[in-house]
Amino acid sequence: MNVAVIGAGPAGMIAAGMLARRGQSVTLIDEQTGSGGHLRYDRYPVGSDRHDSDSWLTELRGAVDSSNAVVLLSAIVWAAFRVGDGFELAVNHAGAERTIVADHLVVATGTTDLALIVPGATLPGVMTSRAARILLNRHDVLPGQRLVVVGAGVEAERLTSDLASAGAEVSAVATEKIESIAGSRGVESVHLTGDRTVTADCVVVARGEAPDLQLAGMLEAPRTYDSSVEGWRLAVGADLPGLSVIGGALLGAAGPAHVVKATIDTVERIAPAGPESGEIGLDITGAIIRWEAVQG
Amino acid sequence: MNGHGARRRATGTASAVQITFDGEPLTAVDTDTVASALIAAGHRVFTIDSHDGSPRGGFCFVGRCSDCLMVIDGQPGTMACITPVRDGMRVETQHGRGHWGREGQS
């Protein structure tokens, strides 16, 4: 069976590797220049309570590379259609248009950061937390010198501390305190409730994330508006013939173990009882992801 | 001049790549995207919005938001955030929807 896996983050890479080793003909597609998804810019130091992203990425790339999965990078899936019992994907691969035909689609598109809706939020210098992480961790570029981090969760706290360690002056501000952002050609100041103004050259929005369901939506996957994610999530128990949604794209529709559990469920559904069954154990404790090879 | 405090902290083992931004030479490193090279060099306006003329400078940096569309090697609508730099690359601010194959847009 031809399986197209869209999104080469952890969930997509696990699914692609396992399906390919079970004899399926797998194409793993990602718009970025490298596989790994958020592992390419999220950094947890070795020995911290979080999984070390570099070694996990190395492990996942090894699992995909040693399989027969074909990896298409710099490949943007810009439309998807049901054709007969299968699917056709319109893909722009490194600037050239091509069509990919698949019997089964695995949607592993991950999440999108929530935006900040206040006047001035479109000014250059306002960016998402993952944008700041990409600049800092992939490119060693500090996105500003006087930053305001907007949000209150774990990611906002981590980012505030990471940016401060990198040499920036950082204020953490709760979302509801931001009234507007001002500047002519980019961020210059942030106006807060209580008639306060903070000078800033960068505003980082770390309010959380919503599942990225644009592609699943194009294929008419049933979705529900969920105010807790400020967006659409997959409807729980949705029946999706020929289509699997896994990983972060399931946010709000599955439990905390969604990355791994949904991946394994999907692989079992498409290619049951393959030779790899039981060889890989994966454990999730809250947001902490660990990947362990089980011996024997 | 933007007058903001973005800067590159270190270049590690990356090697230099020469590009141009609106006709001016700019030194990037080979691991850069167009967006990271511009931010590191102190440029944060990538696009001028076609509706109200407001400046845009990239919001998501993962190829999602379309706030970083630039004219790259003459091709408008190219996402600066997921386009790697290449020696000799011509990067131009995009005005509105841009124009095909035209350098130095008005």
Side-chain angles (χ1 to χ4, degrees):
Chain A
M1 184 157 60
N2 283 322
V3 183
V5 180
I6 302 158
M13 294 173 85
I14 294 170
M18 288 173 78
L19 284 165
R21 274 196 292 281
R22 291 179 185 202
Q24 307 305 310
S25 176
V26 177
T27 307
L28 175 62
I29 308 170
D30 199 286
E31 64 197 344
Q32 303 291 328
T33 52
S35 60
H38 71 87
L39 299 181
R40 300 176 77 214
Y41 51 82
D42 233 340
R43 289 279 183 277
Y44 298 107
V46 177
S48 73
D49 61 337
R50 305 291 293 243
H51 192 96
D52 161 34
S53 47
D54 284 340
S55 54
W56 196 24
L57 180 53
T58 304
E59 216 166 330
L60 290 173
R61 283 182 175 162
V64 171
D65 291 348
S66 64
S67 77
N68 290 324
V70 174
V71 184
L72 284 190
L73 297 170
S74 299
I76 299 170
V77 179
W78 57 270
F81 308 94
R82 283 189 188 275
V83 177
D85 291 335
F87 299 89
E88 282 186 13
L89 304 176
V91 180
N92 184 295
H93 181 214
E97 290 302 327
R98 55 186 288 188
T99 302
I100 290 177
V101 176
D103 303 309
H104 196 107
L105 277 195
V106 178
V107 176
T109 44
T111 62
T112 302
D113 284 322
L114 295 179
L116 174 70
I117 314 296
V118 297
T122 58
L123 281 168
V126 180
M127 64 182 70
T128 63
S129 63
R130 75 185 79 187
R133 285 209 176 279
I134 287 166
L135 286 170
L136 190 61
N137 294 333
R138 281 187 64 72
H139 302 295
D140 252 321
V141 170
L142 202 53
Q145 184 53 39
R146 303 183 70 170
L147 297 101
V148 170
V149 172
V150 183
V154 175
E155 172 60 9
E157 285 171 21
R158 273 181 63 219
L159 197 59
T160 301
S161 133
D162 289 355
L163 289 164
S165 306
E169 299 163 52
V170 193
S171 331
V173 180
T175 306
E176 54 276 15
K177 291 214 158 84
I178 309 279
E179 287 199 332
S180 63
I181 303 166
S184 56
R185 301 265 297 164
V187 176
E188 291 169 18
S189 62
V190 180
H191 301 289
L192 309 178
T193 53
D195 213 17
R196 287 202 302 137
T197 298
V198 179
T199 301
D201 54 10
C202 180
V203 174
V204 182
V205 183
R207 302 184 50 235
E209 50 195 0
D212 195 323
L213 291 172
Q214 288 175 322
L215 194 78
M218 209 178 276
L219 295 164
E220 298 180 348
R223 291 165 296 162
T224 306
Y225 189 80
D226 185 337
S227 56
S228 73
V229 294
E230 292 184 31
W232 298 86
R233 62 166 172 76
L234 197 69
V236 176
D239 182 29
L240 311 168
L243 180 71
S244 303
V245 180
I246 63 172
L250 278 180
L251 195 69
H258 63 259
V259 170
V260 172
K261 185 170 183 304
T263 307
I264 289 172
D265 285 353
T266 290
V267 171
E268 286 295 335
R269 186 171 141 211
I270 300 172
E276 200 177 16
S277 212
E279 284 177 17
I280 296 172
L282 298 149
D283 177 46
I284 293 184
T285 312
I288 301 172
I289 300 169
R290 276 193 302 274
W291 161 282
E292 289 167 358
V294 176
Q295 301 303 317
Chain B
M1 201 50 220
N2 291 307
H4 64 104
R7 62 192 156 86
R8 194 182 297 281
R9 300 174 65 234
T11 52
T13 55
S15 48
V17 171
Q18 299 299 328
I19 65 173
T20 63
F21 172 55
D22 286 342
E24 299 292 322
L26 191 153
T27 303
V29 295
D30 60 0
T31 51
D32 267 328
T33 58
V34 171
S36 69
L38 293 179
I39 296 276
H43 301 291
R44 57 178 175 177
V45 179
F46 298 170
T47 285
I48 305 298
D49 185 83
S50 56
H51 300 289
D52 61 3
S54 63
R56 299 297 178 95
F59 176 68
C60 78
F61 284 63
V62 292
R64 179 65 65 242
C65 75
S66 301
D67 261 8
C68 70
L69 299 181
M70 302 190 79
V71 184
I72 297 180
D73 287 337
Q75 182 167 329
T78 308
M79 288 187 275
C81 73
I82 58 170
T83 302
V85 294
R86 223 184 23 251
D87 246 329
M89 185 177 259
R90 287 174 295 118
V91 177
E92 297 163 90
T93 305
Q94 181 164 319
H95 297 261
R97 300 176 72 172
H99 300 274
W100 280 97
R102 227 178 78 182
E103 297 186 38
Q105 307 202 2
S106 56

